Amino acid sequence: MRNNILHAWLCAIAMLLASLSSCDTADTAYHHYCDVNQEGWVNRDTLRFSVDTIRRFGDYVTYVCVRTLPDYPYRNLSLTVEQTNITKGKSAGKMRKTIKLNVTDKEGIRQGNGITYHTIEVPLYKNWFGPGDSLRVTVSHNMSRESLPGLMAVGIKLKR
């Protein structure tokens, strides 16, 4: 009888933990990475992301996500991000922003989460989307060095 009660409690705790951990992904409408050449992401190589169909209406935040490797040579990373919102098949607005990410702090400690590579996520825009809306996002680096080593991937996340 004790084993049955213990087993029931363990199952209940496992289900609770599973439901709590799934909350983050339930509100994520899109999350995709594009790999970049680890020997050097060339500034002419623009990464393109397409969110074809938003399924639920609401406020969404667009994040840019960067995966850095230990050999990234700078403290910061400067990116140009352009987002085009599309409503009923027509462009409903274009936004362009230059962002500066802190890859390491003043002491050289890498920022973000991870062990082999670190992921840094930065919120960019908050927009309202309805069912059937879509968006296009482009990302490029605008560092003074033409070829930028030490990056693994760049991604976009759209979260409700």
Side-chain angles (χ1 to χ4, degrees):
M1 171 117 168
R2 268 192 154 160
N3 285 341
N4 289 342
I5 294 172
L6 179 62
H7 185 262
W9 273 105
L10 289 175
C11 286
I13 290 171
M15 289 186 343
L16 177 66
L17 290 174
S19 70
L20 290 175
S21 67
S22 66
C23 290
D24 185 47
T25 58
D27 288 337
T28 301
Y30 179 84
H31 195 189
H32 181 75
Y33 281 89
C34 289
D35 292 334
V36 296
N37 187 338
Q38 294 175 17
E39 280 130 28
W41 177 24
V42 179
N43 60 5
R44 293 181 309 276
D45 291 342
T46 300
L47 306 176
R48 300 179 192 292
F49 302 88
S50 294
V51 181
D52 290 328
T53 303
I54 307 278
R55 294 191 179 145
R56 295 173 25 198
F57 68 89
D59 287 320
Y60 288 83
V61 178
T62 305
Y63 294 82
V64 67
C65 312
V66 178
R67 292 178 176 161
T68 64
L69 296 165
D71 60 347
Y72 182 74
Y74 303 108
R75 280 191 50 214
N76 300 309
L77 171 62
S78 182
L79 300 174
T80 300
V81 182
E82 190 171 285
Q83 177 173 314
T84 304
N85 297 345
I86 302 166
T87 302
K88 297 179 183 171
K90 296 181 182 176
S91 177
K94 187 179 278 192
M95 297 162 281
R96 183 181 174 105
K97 186 182 272 188
T98 299
I99 60 170
K100 189 174 181 180
L101 303 165
N102 291 323
V103 177
T104 63
D105 64 12
K106 292 178 182 178
E107 287 78 38
I109 306 295
R110 292 174 60 204
Q111 302 298 294
N113 300 316
I115 297 171
T116 306
Y117 60 85
H118 284 181
T119 301
I120 302 167
E121 294 184 358
V122 177
L124 292 176
Y125 304 112
K126 183 176 184 180
N127 296 105
W128 188 92
F129 290 105
D133 291 349
S134 59
L135 66 139
R136 307 288 179 259
V137 180
T138 61
V139 181
S140 59
H141 82 78
N142 58 356
M143 301 288 281
S144 59
R145 186 172 180 173
E146 182 178 340
S147 181
L148 196 57
L151 296 172
M152 183 176 183
V154 176
I156 295 297
K157 183 193 304 190
L158 185 66
K159 191 169 179 180
R160 203 164 157 249

